[in-house]
Amino acid sequence: MTRKIAVVVFPNFQLLDAAGPISAFDIASRFRPGAYEIHVLAPGGGHTPSSAGAGFATEGLSEGDWDTILVSGGDATKALSEFAEIVDWLKRAAPDARRVTSVCSGAYFLAEAGLLDGRRATTHWSRTDHFARRYPKIRLEADRIFIRDGAVWTSGGITAGIDLTLALIEDDLGPEVARRTAQQLVVHQRRPGGQSQFSALVEMGGASGRFGELMDWMRANLAAGLTVERLAEQAAMSPRNFARAFTAETGTTPAKAVERLRLEAARTAVETGHAPIDRVAETVGFGDPERMRRAFLRAFGQPPQALRRAARA
């Protein structure tokens, strides 16, 4: 059985959003010859350049017996106004496809076509606030690498498209082909879709880097009681002003930022170290291993023990 894949791009699309999934499908076809037939579509067809200059020779947005439609990202908010024909095409083509997917801000096209209304979805972390305001009918889960809601799949930024595609391959051809494809790509075997994107704004200390030094201090003191009052003292601000400024700057509350930093430190320790789980929980500031387990389930979709087993495998 050959599955026809329509990869939809537009001028100035993000190259890796399309090239990553195309490569993954191509490699999977080496292990299961004839599994996929890939077509790259774009408004008008012809040579379609990416934002990097390099591009693809594309076909026009044609009707076809598509198994899977995958929409690339890029400056999709600008492209929405310039390439409304993609949205119109999706409205016609999506109902006949077995599944519809997007990478990064390609989710905007799916949203404009009404394909995400009432569904769970994700997109690149930098777009989530705007996306949530623009599409209030969509249940946005901003931290997810990818989400499957029925026949509609969405993913976060750029390399998350490879995670998404490996999941699609596993869904089609089984875990062994997906594992061998991941090995050829030299990536981890498919990361669970529930794994957090982890906000880069938090990593940088905010949009302007205002809290960069504070974030460094937090990372060095994860085992301490990082209350709002303690963080505000370190930032030389009142607790109320600090909480308001920090949330505005980073897009998340101080408490959630602390949890994210602890989660990242704990995940690294769990996956690469040998310390007992309860010791990891104590070292990174969770204290109670059950509290850390619940945080892992929320952020990564798996408990610490499962991530450790997967890393060792």
Side-chain angles (χ1 to χ4, degrees):
M1 174 184 176
T2 300
R3 298 167 176 84
K4 289 181 63 178
I5 311 293
V7 178
V8 180
V9 300
F10 48 88
N12 296 316
F13 69 98
Q14 167 54 244
L15 183 60
L16 193 56
D17 282 2
I22 289 171
S23 295
F25 283 128
D26 174 59
I27 290 170
S29 292
R30 300 179 195 175
F31 301 120
R32 193 69 59 82
Y36 297 109
E37 178 184 314
I38 303 168
H39 298 256
V40 184
L41 313 184
H47 176 74
T48 303
S50 72
S51 58
F56 293 122
T58 65
E59 306 169 29
L61 294 170
S62 59
E63 308 302 321
D65 186 19
W66 304 117
D67 174 86
T68 300
I69 296 171
L70 184 148
V71 183
S72 170
D75 192 355
T77 50
K78 178 181 179 182
L80 282 174
S81 60
E82 296 184 2
F83 304 110
E85 58 194 288
I86 294 179
V87 175
D88 293 337
W89 179 83
L90 283 169
K91 290 178 180 178
R92 298 192 307 271
D96 294 327
R98 182 168 65 93
R99 61 192 175 194
V100 182
T101 72
S102 66
V103 180
C104 197
S105 58
Y108 276 84
F109 287 103
L110 271 56
E112 283 290 314
L115 301 175
L116 299 180
D117 286 354
R119 294 183 183 274
R120 297 164 55 242
T122 193
T123 188
H124 191 279
W125 64 266
S126 68
R127 305 275 187 152
T128 53
D129 286 345
H130 179 267
F131 191 92
R133 291 193 303 270
R134 182 166 182 147
Y135 305 111
K137 295 181 180 179
I138 298 170
R139 290 179 287 161
L140 183 67
E141 297 188 13
D143 276 350
R144 299 302 192 232
I145 286 180
F146 69 84
I147 288 177
R148 176 183 186 176
D149 191 325
V152 181
W153 306 55
T154 53
S155 62
I158 307 180
T159 58
I162 295 176
D163 293 282
L164 169 72
T165 309
L166 288 170
L168 297 174
I169 291 167
E170 183 173 327
D171 192 52
D172 294 339
L173 308 177
E176 178 62 16
V177 174
R179 181 185 66 79
R180 295 174 69 186
T181 301
Q183 288 177 330
Q184 288 297 311
L185 289 166
V186 197
V187 297
H188 292 293
Q189 185 165 355
R190 182 174 62 85
R191 293 180 288 178
Q195 186 168 317
S196 171
Q197 290 188 51
F198 191 65
S199 172
L201 278 181
V202 173
E203 274 290 285
M204 295 184 298
S208 68
R210 175 182 180 184
F211 293 106
E213 290 185 8
L214 176 64
M215 299 302 295
D216 290 339
W217 181 85
M218 291 163 64
R219 291 187 192 94
N221 294 274
L222 289 176
L226 299 180
T227 63
V228 169
E229 289 75 18
R230 182 69 186 91
L231 297 177
E233 179 184 354
Q234 184 67 24
M237 300 172 69
S238 72
R240 183 175 180 180
N241 286 339
F242 166 74
R244 183 168 54 243
F246 186 92
T247 302
E249 182 77 5
T250 66
T252 193
T253 65
K256 288 183 178 178
V258 169
E259 181 175 90
R260 287 181 178 185
L261 291 174
R262 284 174 171 158
L263 278 167
E264 288 301 297
R267 186 181 69 188
T268 299
V270 164
E271 291 183 337
T272 63
H274 299 279
I277 298 299
D278 57 350
R279 176 59 179 158
V280 173
E282 179 182 352
T283 300
V284 303
F286 279 111
D288 179 7
E290 175 59 23
R291 180 184 169 200
M292 187 173 82
R293 188 187 74 86
R294 292 194 299 268
F296 266 62
L297 287 172
R298 286 194 303 272
F300 309 137
Q302 296 187 79
Q305 293 86 346
L307 288 179
R308 172 165 281 179
R309 286 195 297 269
R312 289 177 177 175

